[in-house]
Amino acid sequence: MRPTIVAGNWKMHGSFAENLDRLTALVAAAPALAHVQMIVFPTFPYLVSARSALAGCGIEVGAQTVSEYAQGAYTGEVSAQMLRDVQCSHVIVGHSERRSLFAESNAQVAAKFMAAQQAGLVPVLCVGESLTERENGATEAVVFAQLDAVIEAVGIGAFARCIIAYEPVWAIGTGLTATPEQAQAVHSAIRQRLAKHSESIAQRVAILYGGSVKPDNASALFAQADIDGGLVGGASLQAQDFIQICSAVEK
Ligand code: PGA
C-alpha cells in the first residue's frame, strides 16, 4: 500500500501572521485527516515557526528548494543539512518554476536530489511537460528525460526514499487541470519507467499530481489508480480549500 500524500507548495506567498492562521486551521483539521500524510512547504524564513506551530500533529514541513552543495561560499543558498537541522523532512526539487525561471538543468536537479537524500531529507521530484511539448506528442519523452537524469545519477534504489510529482507545466497556476485520464496515463507511464529498473520500487513510490488541484477536482484525480495524492499550489493558501482537498482522499 502506498501512502496518500497531500502537499501544499506555498511558493513565495505568506507572512508570519498569515502562515500562523493557516497552520492553526490545519492543526485543528489534522485529527480527522490522519489517513493523509500532509506536508506544507513554506519559504525558508518561516520553516522554523511552521515546524513549531505543527509540533505533534503529524503534519510535516518541507522546503521548496535546496542547494546541491553541502556547504561553502554559495551566498544565498541553503544546504540540505541546514534544512534537516531545522527539522524539515522533505524538499521539493526540480519544480518547473525553478527549471524555467532559474534555469535548473536535469543534472542540477539530480544533484539536489542526491544532496537532499544524503542529509536524510525526502526529495519531492517534480517532472512535467510544457503545453508545446504536449501538443508535439513529446510528453513522455520530456518526463522520461527528467526522470532518467535522476535515475542515472542516484540509481533506482534511491527512489525507495522519494516522492515524485507529475506537474504538467500548462496546468500550474492556470486553472487548467489535466483530466484524471490524462494525469493517470502519465502517472502510469512514470511507474512503468521505474519498473524497468525495479518493479518493487515502482510499486512503492508515491506519485502526486500537481497543477490546479482544487476542492472540486481532487476526488476524481485521487481516485485514479496511479495518483497517490497531490502537490497543491494556489489552493493550499486557503486553509479550508486545502483541508477539503485532503478530505477528498478516501479512507
Ligand atoms: P497550482 O500549483 O496548484 O497553483 O497549479 C501547483 C504547483 O506549482 O506545485
Side-chain angles (χ1 to χ4, degrees):
M1 260 297 267
R2 293 188 290 270
T4 308
I5 300 161
V6 180
N9 174 9
W10 293 359
K11 308 194 181 182
M12 203 171 72
H13 295 290
S15 66
F16 186 81
E18 283 167 12
N19 294 351
L20 196 58
D21 283 352
R22 197 179 301 133
L23 292 167
T24 306
L26 298 188
V27 170
L33 295 168
H35 60 296
V36 186
Q37 175 60 69
M38 283 193 258
I39 315 167
V40 295
F41 293 87
T43 50
F44 290 135
Y46 302 120
L47 291 171
V48 172
S49 53
R51 185 62 282 161
S52 78
L54 295 172
C57 82
I59 303 176
E60 300 284 4
V61 177
Q64 298 173 13
T65 185
V66 65
S67 173
E68 62 269 46
Y69 304 111
Q71 63 169 341
Y74 300 104
T75 302
E77 293 292 284
V78 174
S79 76
Q81 195 55 53
M82 291 168 185
L83 295 177
R84 273 310 285 158
D85 197 28
V86 296
Q87 292 166 38
C88 280
S89 52
H90 295 74
V91 64
I92 297 173
V93 297
H95 189 281
S96 66
E97 286 152 17
R98 302 287 324 167
R99 292 179 189 266
S100 66
L101 302 173
F102 301 97
E104 288 188 8
S105 64
N106 280 340
Q108 196 179 2
V109 172
K112 287 174 184 245
F113 183 108
M114 195 171 344
Q117 279 199 337
Q118 280 169 354
L121 294 164
V122 176
V124 180
L125 170 65
C126 299
V127 296
E129 81 289 1
S130 67
L131 186 56
T132 317
E133 289 161 346
R134 174 162 281 263
E135 287 172 349
N136 291 340
T139 298
E140 285 195 3
V142 170
V143 168
F144 289 171
Q146 293 169 338
L147 202 57
D148 291 351
V150 182
I151 299 174
E152 277 160 29
V154 301
I156 191 67
F159 279 72
R161 289 171 292 115
C162 82
I163 297 169
I164 295 174
Y166 167 58
E167 298 204 303
V169 178
W170 49 273
I172 295 178
T174 57
L176 291 174
T177 315
T179 64
E181 295 72 26
Q182 280 174 323
Q184 165 59 25
V186 181
H187 281 232
S188 157
I190 291 172
R191 212 177 291 289
Q192 282 166 34
R193 189 77 176 179
L194 297 173
K196 282 184 191 283
H197 301 270
S198 164
E199 179 65 36
S200 68
I201 287 177
Q203 289 311 321
R204 236 160 75 195
V205 65
I207 309 178
L208 313 184
Y209 168 79
S212 298
V213 177
K214 307 281 178 218
D216 62 1
N217 58 29
S219 359
L221 288 161
F222 298 168
Q224 300 297 313
D226 289 291
I227 300 186
D228 305 310
L231 179 55
V232 186
S236 72
L237 296 172
Q238 303 300 328
Q240 292 315 320
D241 285 358
F242 189 67
I243 290 164
Q244 274 190 51
I245 291 169
C246 294
S247 310
V249 174
E250 284 191 23
K251 281 201 182 159

